[in-house]
Amino acid sequence: AFGSFLTVFALFLLGILNLLNAYSAIILLCLFICLSFKEIVAFIKICLEDHEIPMPAWPFLTLLLSFVGINLLELLRPIPIGWDDLNFYQNTAKLIADTGTVSSGMPHPWELFMSLGYFVPNFFGATGASGAMLLSFLGAIIGLFALFSLLKKLLPESGYIPFLLVTLFYTMPSVFFQSAIDTKIDLPLFGIIACAILAYTIWKENKKTTFLFISTLLFGFALSIKFTAAFAVVPFGILILFDLYKLGQWRERIYTGVLCALLLILPITPWLMNNISSAEKLSTYSVFFGQSQSPDIYKGFDKAQININKNTTPLKAVPTAPLKQTSKYEELTQYIGYTKG
């Protein structure tokens, strides 16, 4: 999670300097792999170790790995097929790869991270969106590891229960859907928030402020990925303030609190500064939302006054009342429940 933030930050700098292309993206990726070589080897060793898995956990682990494998196979397709990723998330990543720039608009750090999935394959002459969608899927895997680690800490003597809960989470229809069908940023957002909470729990155990700083930085990174992360950032921010109040001296409290606040706003600050620099008219909306890279599918609809007169041949457009935008209601029905039609 921390490495993905550093990768996004470096990609953002390259984009602002107009140096973002397939060559610079691959060089950056190789650089981070070299810097993380020890961590990668250690992670592989941990995965290959002989872990004592309770017998009741094996059915859940088998089911979980089966779902992950199915999702991986579904991601090996040339184009996105979900409405949101096709219209915005994957579209934004593709536009970044095509232009080599970071435009103004709502902060889109994970889309910038997913653009690596277009840069690298394009360098080798390959096309398609599989690489970018796999990077979206990577966020889900990060979340699974973080969730399992949290459950093991909170339920140390629970046996197979963490395996059961992680499997139940991943096999939920909405989670499975966003893992392989509509590859949005919600699961990567969950992964970053889970890692932030995990870092916070580690800090509570060993009181090493490094983990607290990592936690607040990741919470800020989550907020830059999607503003709805505020539902997690605000309560944990209040909780951290209460914890800081219990520290020793006032000087230590103030120093730690100020540094946490700076780390919290650090990930989103470059995006807001980019919006400010490109805004024609400065306003709250232009600072936080700027100009979206995605095409406005409703452009012209607000003033379009058309109605098909079925009694006329050929069909003619007759001015009537403006068309209504109903997508937000249709979007809500997807989460509330299935509707006819």
Side-chain angles (χ1 to χ4, degrees):
F2 183 68
S4 63
F5 163 73
L6 294 179
T7 304
V8 167
F9 194 77
L11 290 172
F12 182 88
L13 292 178
L14 290 174
I16 292 296
L17 298 174
N18 292 322
L19 297 175
L20 185 57
N21 52 52
Y23 295 99
S24 60
I26 290 176
I27 292 173
L28 180 66
L29 190 61
C30 293
L31 176 63
F32 278 126
I33 290 175
C34 292
L35 292 175
S36 307
F37 182 76
K38 290 184 178 179
E39 287 75 14
I40 294 173
V41 172
F43 177 76
I44 294 175
K45 287 182 178 179
I46 291 175
C47 293
L48 295 178
E49 286 179 358
D50 186 14
H51 297 279
E52 293 185 5
I53 301 176
M55 185 59 66
W58 277 105
F60 305 115
L61 183 59
T62 303
L63 181 62
L64 175 63
L65 294 178
S66 299
F67 270 70
V68 171
I70 292 171
N71 280 347
L72 281 173
L73 291 175
E74 289 198 49
L75 290 174
L76 299 178
R77 58 177 183 265
I79 60 172
I81 59 175
W83 167 259
D84 288 319
D85 61 351
L86 188 61
N87 177 57
F88 184 78
Y89 299 110
Q90 294 294 337
N91 181 47
T92 302
K94 182 67 165 59
L95 289 172
I96 292 172
D98 289 342
T99 61
T101 58
V102 179
S103 71
S104 65
M106 186 182 295
H108 42 274
W110 201 263
E111 290 89 330
L112 182 57
F113 182 70
M114 289 192 297
S115 68
L116 287 172
Y118 291 102
F119 277 122
V120 177
N122 290 350
F123 178 79
F124 296 100
T127 58
S130 292
M133 290 187 290
L134 285 170
L135 289 178
S136 174
F137 180 71
L138 175 64
I141 300 302
I142 291 174
L144 291 181
F145 277 107
L147 179 61
F148 182 79
S149 299
L150 276 172
L151 291 172
K152 291 290 286 184
K153 283 184 173 296
L154 297 175
L155 306 169
E157 303 296 332
S158 55
Y160 68 93
I161 298 300
F163 294 93
L164 169 63
L165 295 178
V166 170
T167 303
L168 286 175
F169 168 77
Y170 192 74
T171 54
M172 290 172 58
S174 58
V175 175
F176 186 82
F177 177 76
Q178 293 194 27
S179 293
I181 308 300
D182 203 354
T183 52
K184 302 193 287 187
I185 59 174
D186 298 86
L187 287 181
L189 176 66
F190 164 77
I192 300 299
I193 292 176
C195 289
I197 298 174
L198 180 61
Y200 169 78
T201 58
I202 295 175
W203 170 68
K204 290 284 289 183
E205 290 178 355
N206 58 27
K207 299 301 180 183
K208 293 183 178 179
T209 53
T210 302
F211 290 99
L212 176 62
F213 295 150
I214 291 176
S215 177
T216 52
L217 180 67
L218 292 180
F219 274 124
F221 186 36
L223 192 62
S224 68
I225 292 175
K226 201 169 186 177
F227 290 146
T228 51
F231 288 104
V233 173
V234 172
F236 271 94
I238 296 173
L239 191 60
I240 290 173
L241 286 177
F242 277 109
D243 290 330
L244 291 178
Y245 181 77
K246 299 176 183 177
L247 289 179
Q249 300 179 353
W250 276 102
R251 181 177 297 181
E252 183 182 2
R253 300 176 189 174
I254 295 173
Y255 167 78
T256 307
V258 170
L259 191 53
C260 285
L262 293 175
L263 289 172
L264 181 66
I265 64 174
L266 174 63
I268 200 172
T269 299
W271 300 94
L272 302 185
M273 295 299 295
N274 187 39
N275 287 345
I276 292 172
S277 64
S278 58
E280 297 180 359
K281 184 179 180 181
L282 198 61
S283 64
T284 304
Y285 185 89
S286 64
V287 171
F288 285 95
F289 298 98
Q291 178 62 43
S292 174
Q293 290 195 51
S294 293
D296 186 1
I297 61 174
Y298 291 112
K299 188 175 182 180
F301 275 21
D302 291 333
K303 297 181 179 180
Q305 297 181 350
I306 59 174
N307 182 35
I308 302 302
N309 187 345
K310 297 181 180 179
N311 298 323
T312 306
T313 306
L315 298 178
K316 293 182 179 180
V318 180
T320 59
L323 294 178
K324 295 181 179 180
Q325 297 185 16
T326 61
S327 62
K328 62 181 179 181
Y329 303 107
E330 295 166 0
E331 178 77 7
L332 287 175
T333 59
Q334 294 181 13
Y335 296 98
I336 295 173
Y338 292 103
T339 56
K340 295 181 180 181

